[in-house]
Amino acid sequence: MAHAMRRLRSLWRGLLRLERPRQAIVCWRPAGMAAMLLACLLVALLTSWPWLVEPSLRPGLPAPFTVRAPRDATVMDSAALEQRRSQMVPRTTVQVIDERLTRQLQDQLERLLEQVRQQRVADQTRIDPLNLTAAERRWLRGLDPNSLASWEDGVRRAQNRMLRQGVAGTLADAQLLEAAGLQLEDQAREGRQLGSRLVVRSLQGRSNLRSDPFLSQQRIEELLSRNGLPTITVRRGDLVVRQGEKITPQAFDVLDAFGLINRRPRPLAWLAHVSEALAVSGVMLLVMRRWRASLEPRQALLALATLLVVQACKLWLGLLVSPLALLVPPTLLLAQGLGTVAGLAWLAAASLLWPFPLNGVLECRLIVATLVAVLAAVLAGRQRNRAQLLQLAVLLPLGALAAQAAVLQLAALLGLAGGSEGELPSNAELMNEAWLVASLLLAGLILAPLVESFFGLLTRARLMELADLERPLLRRLSTEAPGTFEHTLMICGLAEEGARAIHADVDLIRTGALYHDVGKMHGPQWFIENQDERSGNPHDRLDDPFASASILQAHVDEGLKLARRYRLPRPLADFIPEHQGTLKMGYFLHRARELDPSVSEERFRYRGPTPRSRETAILMLADGCEAALRSLPPDTTEDQARQMVRRIVEARQADGQLAGSGISRAELELVIRAFVRVWRRMRHRRIPYPIPARKAFSA
């Protein structure tokens, strides 16, 4: 028994060792961890919300048990009542007088009366906006000031009486003119005609009424009560709902009347679902960190925020939700930026956390959506440019449409969908869903550069764009430090072959190698690859090992500044300090100790950090081996070259430079052999072509 327990403990320790991240995990600050904990709590609360505030059963959900009526009852039919209410809403709108609109119409009449006063004293040749007749003009000029004021007051009273009764903007002009004439019956014929026209012009096409929702609802309820409420008559023993069947609105009303609907909060069920959602969110983050040790808090928050939005859509749409539209686009985005495993971890969390039970049709659609999302996550890591992603955005919805139609038809034939399991979607609905998914994927492609920049994501397409030698920073490097640029291209070949040998990220190491020495542009003449025989070595003229060591360290510091200025993603910027790690500047340390034997070695080491990934470790080894391999004599054998590379690698390993990189001894051996293969290709023999003697021609 004791031997078996020891064996189990040994197996458990071995499993933990295998599952431990191979490279050093980026430490998260307390603020980032607090933000992620808050996001996880929000996801858990949103997922468990139905168990806290909603009834235990709802129309449209499958019934958990079979129910027969325990007694005779008459139950109000809420669905029919709501249908009647919705039919009455457009026909039963109560309007009230709006005082603000009334004042605007009164002000309009005052402006018209002012024009009348101007026309009364104006010359006949002046333009008349009121189109007064000759009789009306003579009548106006015959009025004394008191009579004119009395007529204006009469017009105002006529308009005010009409406004108090309410004026609709759709009322015909003839009806308005007739109503205004009736209000001005005590006026002379010319005054009545002119006043009626003024009132009509002030009210024409306008209204002083607004709808009152409260009074409208009150009127609807009065009419419903007057006409009688729809009811459902149930007799004892009648079947209300069968287990597994969808609960209809009428069945829900009967269950509610018999007290079978629990509307009280269910703290134990809510707590269980909160714990489940927290556990799923936590496991998702752990899996992401296990396979992406450089995961930043903002990238983890992106995954949690996407999950939060998806959960909110599930709650909002209910059984009308489209699993394809919710699962495929976020999975594709996260798989591009954080890797296939991160996308699959998010997909697993989003597929498991559903805030309501699923019927047969939705389960089939969820299975299809999950399979399509898995395919999207796997293919996302292989797409090397945005044109391929565009093709994927077009082909995925088409494939999903065909797969979904076939699966639903098969499920209907087997009795797993349709009927009591929910209504099958029509071909038009499936086509609309495919269009929606395609639109979301295209929108994601358009917004991808913004998301990449804001959250520090490094997609394969972004790597290919940054590896373009025509990028501004690389063009500067090739013109300002041509020797460093050639050295960079040589290292690219070594690093690529080494990464390919151990199945590391070849695209990442190629792009990182192109930018690892950009800091040398601050003073290219201080580095040997940019020096020529005429200018000599400026370090010899400086004759100060401490200053020379500071210059070497400065190429790392200046490189990081350039990376921030040109907004290089963090995984690429990490190549700048990590390719030097904390290596010794051996030559200048030796010079300094010739002057002062007590000089500390730490003053002649790069500040690091040491490589934290296999890719930066390979670049460090390629940087150290490139010059040594190029300096080998032509008659060097492969075994000699391999021994020389192995000595350099073992020296880096003994110095502790590779401890946090996650690269194993077996992988180091594969990298050594890969470097030698590149060296062998570099030193291949050329066929000596004979050069014919130049013929002499006579003048």
Side-chain angles (χ1 to χ4, degrees), residues 360-372:
V361 172
L362 199 55
E363 285 179 352
C364 293
R365 297 175 68 186
L366 176 60
I367 292 172
V368 174
T370 303
L371 293 176
V372 173

Side-chain angles (χ1 to χ4, degrees), residues 180-206:
L182 291 175
Q183 298 293 340
L184 294 168
E185 282 186 339
D186 56 340
Q187 299 289 337
R189 185 170 63 86
E190 291 81 0
R192 183 169 62 252
Q193 291 176 352
L194 178 58
S196 300
R197 291 215 320 275
L198 294 178
V199 171
V200 170
R201 286 191 63 173
S202 67
L203 304 178
Q204 193 174 31
R206 301 180 179 90

Side-chain angles (χ1 to χ4, degrees), residues 115-128 132-149 151-152 190-191 194:
Q115 292 180 8
V116 169
R117 288 191 287 270
Q118 293 175 1
Q119 288 296 324
R120 179 170 176 268
V121 298
D123 188 11
Q124 292 185 358
T125 59
R126 185 174 179 178
I127 297 175
D128 181 10
L132 299 177
T133 64
E136 290 170 348
R137 195 181 298 276
R138 286 194 300 271
W139 176 78
L140 277 174
R141 290 182 176 177
L143 294 177
D144 56 56
N146 292 333
S147 300
L148 179 62
W151 173 78
E152 290 178 353
E190 291 81 0
L194 178 58

Side-chain angles (χ1 to χ4, degrees), residues 460-572:
R460 196 66 54 190
R462 179 67 173 153
L463 276 175
M464 295 297 99
E465 293 169 358
L466 291 171
D468 183 3
L469 297 182
E470 293 300 318
R471 301 286 298 188
L473 188 55
L474 295 180
R475 290 303 302 158
R476 280 190 57 193
L477 180 64
S478 65
T479 55
E480 297 179 22
T484 300
F485 185 70
E486 293 301 322
H487 158 76
T488 296
L489 295 180
M490 292 293 297
I491 285 182
C492 275
L494 287 173
E496 278 187 55
E497 191 69 21
R500 195 172 287 112
I502 65 171
H503 301 289
D505 194 332
V506 177
D507 295 325
L508 176 62
I509 200 168
R510 179 195 301 116
T511 311
L514 289 174
Y515 290 93
H516 80 284
D517 265 346
V518 292
K520 290 183 178 180
M521 288 190 296
H522 83 287
Q525 71 279 5
W526 294 97
F527 301 93
I528 193 168
E529 65 266 18
N530 299 305
Q531 298 168 3
D532 53 35
E533 297 179 356
R534 291 174 299 175
S535 59
N537 192 334
H539 290 285
D540 295 337
R541 294 191 295 272
L542 181 64
D543 196 23
D544 185 348
F546 296 96
S548 295
S550 299
I551 292 171
L552 294 188
Q553 174 61 43
H555 97 272
V556 174
D557 301 335
E558 293 297 323
L560 290 174
K561 291 179 183 178
L562 285 172
R564 286 191 293 269
R565 185 184 309 166
Y566 284 86
R567 298 188 177 183
L568 291 183
R570 180 172 175 177
L572 292 182

Side-chain angles (χ1 to χ4, degrees), residues 21 23-28 289-290 292-295 612 660:
Q23 51 194 79
I25 295 179
V26 174
C27 294
W28 288 348
R289 291 198 82 185
R290 162 66 178 84
R292 190 180 181 88
S294 60
L295 186 72
R612 293 174 292 184

Side-chain angles (χ1 to χ4, degrees), residues 222-473:
E222 291 174 359
L223 294 175
L224 289 174
S225 301
R226 190 183 307 163
N227 297 333
L229 299 176
T231 58
I232 304 170
T233 301
V234 183
R235 299 192 180 278
R236 181 179 180 180
D238 287 350
L239 179 65
V240 179
V241 67
R242 194 183 304 275
Q243 182 178 1
E245 291 183 353
K246 185 172 65 174
I247 300 176
T248 63
Q250 291 76 16
F252 179 82
D253 292 334
V254 175
L255 292 173
D256 195 16
F258 291 142
L260 299 177
I261 304 297
N262 183 12
R263 297 181 180 276
R264 292 172 297 178
R266 292 166 283 168
L268 293 180
W270 173 77
L271 188 60
H273 284 87
V274 165
S275 303
E276 177 190 19
L278 282 175
V280 169
S281 302
V283 169
M284 179 188 74
L285 293 179
L286 289 176
V287 171
M288 288 182 173
R289 291 198 82 185
R290 162 66 178 84
W291 291 95
R292 190 180 181 88
S294 60
L295 186 72
E296 300 178 30
R298 56 177 175 170
Q299 296 167 351
L301 285 175
L302 172 63
L304 290 172
T306 309
L307 184 59
L308 185 66
V309 171
V310 167
Q311 296 303 103
C313 291
K314 292 176 184 176
L315 276 180
W316 179 36
L317 297 174
L319 293 175
L320 300 177
V321 70
S322 167
L324 271 176
L326 289 185
L327 298 182
V328 176
T331 301
L332 183 63
L333 174 66
L334 293 174
Q336 285 183 70
L338 299 178
T340 299
V341 175
L344 292 176
W346 184 92
L347 174 62
S351 301
L352 290 173
L353 297 178
W354 283 85
F356 52 84
L358 305 178
N359 57 29
V361 172
L362 199 55
E363 285 179 352
C364 293
R365 297 175 68 186
L366 176 60
I367 292 172
V368 174
T370 303
L371 293 176
V372 173
V374 168
L375 180 63
V378 172
L379 293 178
R382 302 181 181 182
Q383 309 306 304
R384 301 174 63 81
N385 54 58
R386 303 198 189 275
Q388 293 177 340
L389 290 172
L390 181 60
Q391 294 174 359
L392 191 63
V394 174
L395 295 177
L396 272 180
L398 295 178
L401 174 64
Q404 194 164 220
V407 169
L408 288 175
Q409 291 299 326
L410 179 61
L413 291 175
L414 297 176
L416 302 176
S420 62
E421 296 293 333
E423 184 179 355
L424 288 174
S426 64
N427 291 333
E429 291 173 339
L430 293 179
M431 182 64 72
N432 291 335
E433 186 179 24
W435 277 110
L436 175 62
V437 174
S439 302
L440 291 175
L441 290 175
L442 291 176
L445 288 180
I446 294 172
L447 298 176
L450 296 178
V451 177
E452 292 169 6
S453 176
F454 188 79
F455 290 99
L457 302 180
L458 189 58
T459 62
R460 196 66 54 190
R462 179 67 173 153
L463 276 175
M464 295 297 99
E465 293 169 358
L466 291 171
D468 183 3
L469 297 182
E470 293 300 318
R471 301 286 298 188
L473 188 55

